[in-house]
Amino acid sequence: MNVLVAMSGGVDSSVAAALMIDAGHRVSGVTMKLWGGESDNGCCAVSDTDDARRVAHRLGIEHHVFNFGEEFDRHVVEPYVAAHQAGETPNPCVECNRHIKFDKLLRRARALGFDAVVTGHHVRRVRDPKGRWRLARAVDVAKDQSYVLNMLSPEDLDDVWFPIGEMTKDAVRALAAERGLVTAAKPDSQDVCFITRAAGREAFLSERIELHPGVVVDESGETVGSTDAIELVTIGQRRGLDLAGGEARRFVTEVNLAEGRVSVGAPERLMVEETLIGSITWAIDPAEIADVAVGVQVSAHGSADAAGLLVGADRVMVQWSERHRRVAIGQSVVIYVGDVVAGGGIAVRTVSRV
């Protein structure tokens, strides 16, 4: 088959390309040019494109560059800035996957006549009893990326392959070294690609929106600190507030942009019984899992916790089996049945029952 491998310049996508060649497919590589500004980390640096090109040359395959910069700005960068301006906590990697990698790239690949898009994500495709594709956790659970790919539909999975999902990270690196790929020992990307390590998030946002100072108050309303940029504060945050008085751990429990106030309190003040999510995408019809135990995950590197679901027309109330730490508005919330993704959405403000 004729496959297009999304090559980020990392070891995982490099090995994915090698495995496709070994399987006898006609393989081409592509690197997406997304962020046009300065980048010193993530998958948008010039060095990453160079590494992808060197791996493609080593493997003897064509390498292309697709410029999706305009779409990246519109669907990822601008919403990221707007979310901070509204006091929310965005997840730009999820939105990049939703709008760029598995929308724009997938549609471009289909139009060019490719049979499948291949990526180096640590996830698996599995068949359900009716033969439909489902997204499942990777064999290497510590590297699992199903959380950030929760938006993929069974129809998307018809045309997207994840060949390293059955491998451990150590096995991926060993195979890369065996094939002489320059990315074999390259560290994993960890940060938002358009935020440089040198300048940081505050500098990036201050060039695009006005940042406002705020006061930090405790549970009694007494001022215990301040922040230079309330737009950068998130629910559950502990560090970076320079709090005065007392040695007990205190966490951000509320961010009120309108009044310029951040509230902090003991960790138990963060515990809730329910979390409301909107912008739902279902991979499995919720009617099929109405009586099935589900797990719900609220961060990329977390684990799924037991919960029940109260499903509405366009929102879902997650009812935690045990009191759960509050989820910051704007974060992805992903529903699992075992290791399989059933659906996902975005944490929203609780204004009414679903």
Side-chain angles (χ1 to χ4, degrees):
M1 298 182 76
N2 189 23
V3 302
L4 183 66
V5 181
M7 302 181 70
S8 65
V11 64
D12 295 322
S13 58
S14 300
V15 168
L19 292 173
M20 290 296 95
I21 294 170
D22 293 348
H25 298 293
R26 299 188 303 277
V27 180
S28 298
V30 63
T31 300
M32 290 173 284
K33 179 175 173 55
L34 303 178
W35 174 237
E38 184 181 359
S39 178
D40 60 8
N41 66 85
C43 54
C44 293
V46 173
S47 60
D48 293 313
T49 302
D50 292 340
D51 285 342
R53 185 178 293 112
R54 293 165 69 189
V55 169
H57 179 75
R58 175 74 179 182
L59 296 174
I61 62 174
E62 293 183 348
H63 177 260
H64 308 278
V65 176
F66 291 171
N67 189 338
F68 294 147
E70 183 178 337
E71 292 85 352
F72 186 75
D73 284 346
R74 182 168 65 252
H75 293 295
V76 181
V77 179
E78 291 175 9
Y80 175 87
V81 175
H84 277 289
Q85 192 171 28
E88 300 178 358
T89 304
N91 198 326
C93 294
V94 170
E95 298 312 310
C96 182
N97 287 329
R98 187 192 315 277
H99 295 288
I100 310 299
K101 295 184 177 73
F102 299 102
D103 182 17
K104 186 66 176 179
L105 176 62
L106 189 53
R107 287 190 285 116
R108 174 77 65 87
R110 287 166 175 160
L112 292 173
F114 287 96
D115 298 303
V117 168
V118 176
T119 81
H121 287 96
H122 281 265
V123 292
R124 294 178 297 131
R125 293 189 312 163
V126 298
R127 295 277 194 186
D128 71 6
K130 295 182 179 180
R132 297 168 297 190
W133 286 118
R134 303 299 188 195
L135 187 74
R137 293 192 188 277
V139 165
D140 192 337
V141 176
K143 295 297 181 180
D144 174 60
Q145 293 173 291
S146 60
Y147 172 88
V148 296
L149 300 184
N150 72 84
M151 74 297 298
L152 291 180
S153 69
E155 292 73 27
D156 293 330
L157 294 174
D158 283 337
D159 300 329
V160 183
W161 301 349
F162 308 105
I164 68 167
E166 302 285 348
M167 302 174 66
T168 65
K169 186 73 177 199
D170 288 344
V172 170
R173 291 199 182 279
L175 181 55
E178 180 183 318
R179 299 292 286 265
L181 305 183
V182 296
T183 54
K186 187 174 181 178
D188 293 339
S189 297
Q190 298 289 341
D191 301 307
V192 176
C193 64
F194 52 87
I195 305 294
T196 66
R197 295 189 184 95
R201 184 176 51 140
E202 183 171 357
F204 177 85
L205 288 170
S206 66
E207 295 176 355
R208 292 160 175 82
I209 59 174
E210 183 178 356
L211 301 179
H212 301 88
V215 298
V216 182
V217 301
D218 63 14
E219 298 171 33
S220 66
E222 181 180 351
T223 299
V224 293
S226 63
T227 175
D228 293 332
I230 194 172
E231 290 84 359
L232 302 184
V233 180
T234 189
I235 296 295
Q237 181 176 330
R238 181 188 174 196
R239 301 181 185 279
L241 295 177
D242 193 25
L243 301 180
E247 297 183 358
R249 295 185 304 158
R250 288 177 289 184
F251 298 82
V252 174
T253 59
E254 181 186 4
V255 179
N256 189 323
L257 260 70
E259 299 180 9
R261 185 181 68 248
V262 174
S263 299
V264 297
E268 56 267 23
R269 301 273 293 185
L270 285 170
M271 305 307 289
V272 297
E273 296 180 351
E274 300 177 322
T275 297
L276 183 65
I277 59 175
S279 303
I280 310 295
T281 56
W282 290 106
I284 300 176
D285 187 332
E288 296 182 29
I289 59 172
D291 299 318
V292 176
V294 302
V296 179
Q297 184 170 325
V298 301
S299 65
H301 303 294
S303 58
D305 296 312
L309 305 177
L310 181 60
V311 180
D314 59 356
R315 293 188 174 188
V316 171
M317 185 69 81
V318 176
Q319 300 176 313
W320 301 105
S321 296
E322 297 183 1
R323 297 186 76 212
H324 194 279
R325 186 163 174 161
R326 192 181 310 168
V327 183
I329 305 305
Q331 285 292 282
S332 292
V333 179
V334 182
I335 301 161
Y336 290 82
V337 176
D339 286 339
V340 174
V341 173
I346 306 296
V348 296
R349 288 181 174 85
T350 305
V351 294
S352 64
R353 304 289 293 182
V354 296

